[in-house]
Amino acid sequence: MKLTVLGCYGPYPKARGACSGYLLEDDDSKILIDCGNGVLSKLFAIMSDLNKLDAIFISHLHSDHMGDLLVLRYAIGIGQLMGKVRKSIPIYLPSSPKDEYDKIQFNNAFIRNIINEKTTVKVNNFNVSFKKTDHSVECYAIAFEHSGKRFVYSGDTKVFDGFIDFVRGSDLFLCEASVLEKDRTESMAHLSAKQAAEIALNAGIKRLLLTHLLPEIKPDSLYTEAREVFPYILEMAEEGKGYFI
Ligand SMILES: [Zn+2]
Ligand SMILES: [Zn+2]
């Protein structure tokens, strides 16, 4: 598996950046994970033919994770009318908030599939499963398994029961680190860098990639906070960079 970071900011991007979006590939498949604002431009920079996109997985329906679906639906729908796009693209996503869910379809751009914790999906050689997180709207952490390797993406969340079990066994854990611990409040539905590192450590993970970066916080300070807890491979998500799993 190869993971390319298209966008790594949240809940809004820094200049010339994008919010959550990741391309997961093997030789035969391309999967888009989240499609926040700015992601479509980054995707088109490395992949112009939407026929090659096998599936889209959306962790939750906050704009920094799905905003560009609202323009991707035009790119697919108009592409279909022009004969450039020859299919509807399967998308896997939560069904709430309903007003957001209802906006997503345009012509036959997507084949919508509603996810829950019991959902399992097979996309070519990828097996995909879900764990509901503790966030301000319905949100799922997503696990992708392929050729004996496991990759888990946290989505947005605070710490919750069962999180560590879901993360355990990951060869790469892509985890949100929205704030520094000193700035975290109990009402925040996000993780600090310290909490992300603690989850990774307790799950026995050896490789942690931090994402969902707030433009105001220097990545170095998030890295330093996580490094105090997590002694293994630790990286900050960088747009355009590829990570092999
Ligand atoms: Zn977010
Ligand atoms: Zn969110």
Side-chain angles (χ1 to χ4, degrees):
M1 286 185 273
K2 180 189 177 190
L3 180 78
T4 302
V5 175
L6 302 171
C8 63
Y9 295 96
Y12 53 88
K14 73 171 192 181
R16 289 178 286 280
C19 286
S20 292
Y22 310 92
L23 185 67
L24 186 65
E25 303 170 83
D26 69 0
D27 290 342
D28 306 316
S29 316
K30 293 184 190 298
I31 294 170
L32 178 63
I33 306 167
D34 278 353
C35 190
N37 56 295
V39 166
L40 191 56
S41 171
K42 304 276 189 180
L43 180 69
F44 282 156
I46 59 172
M47 180 190 151
S48 57
D49 184 1
L50 290 171
N51 292 295
K52 293 184 176 159
L53 196 57
D54 294 281
I56 302 168
F57 291 84
I58 302 293
S59 63
H60 66 300
L61 303 183
H62 272 157
S63 304
D64 54 326
H65 298 258
M66 56 73 77
D68 263 14
L69 281 182
L70 303 183
V71 288
L72 177 56
R73 65 185 177 154
Y74 296 147
I76 300 167
I78 291 165
Q80 289 167 334
L81 292 174
M82 295 172 71
K84 280 175 64 183
V85 178
R86 296 179 297 280
K87 64 179 188 180
S88 303
I89 299 181
I91 181 168
Y92 300 85
L93 73 176
S95 59
S96 73
K98 188 174 183 308
D99 56 335
E100 300 289 352
Y101 178 82
D102 288 344
K103 280 186 218 163
I104 286 163
Q105 191 62 292
F106 173 74
N107 291 350
N108 294 311
F110 302 118
I111 301 165
R112 286 186 294 185
N113 301 274
I114 295 168
I115 57 174
N116 61 46
E117 278 201 325
K118 297 196 179 82
T119 307
T120 56
V121 181
K122 189 163 170 56
V123 180
N124 299 332
N125 292 316
F126 293 86
N127 290 301
V128 190
S129 55
F130 307 88
K131 180 77 183 173
K132 191 159 185 262
T133 73
D134 185 351
H135 193 47
S136 49
V137 298
E138 182 183 6
C139 179
Y140 293 89
I142 311 175
F144 296 85
E145 294 185 300
H146 182 301
S147 305
K149 301 282 188 186
R150 181 176 173 88
F151 160 60
V152 170
Y153 166 50
S154 67
D156 281 3
T157 190
K158 49 166 59 174
V159 173
F160 64 95
D161 284 348
F163 195 14
I164 288 169
D165 285 343
F166 189 72
V167 171
R168 188 168 284 125
S170 305
D171 297 278
L172 177 67
F173 178 34
L174 174 65
C175 188
E176 73 130 305
S178 295
V179 292
L180 293 166
E181 182 63 22
K182 70 177 174 58
D183 298 323
R184 189 178 64 81
T185 63
E186 276 311 306
S187 62
M188 231 177 244
H190 288 284
L191 299 172
S192 68
K194 181 181 181 212
Q195 288 178 310
E198 286 170 348
I199 291 159
L201 187 72
N202 292 330
I205 300 308
K206 297 291 188 286
R207 189 178 178 202
L208 173 62
L209 180 58
L210 297 179
T211 192
H212 203 279
L213 310 176
L214 187 68
E216 274 66 28
I217 303 178
K218 285 197 172 64
D220 281 359
S221 54
L222 293 164
Y223 179 92
T224 301
E225 181 172 291
R227 179 49 92 202
E228 284 172 12
V229 175
F230 188 75
Y232 305 108
I233 300 168
L234 173 65
E235 294 168 278
M236 304 303 295
E238 279 180 47
E239 291 177 353
K241 190 168 173 183
Y243 303 79
F244 289 90
I245 306 163

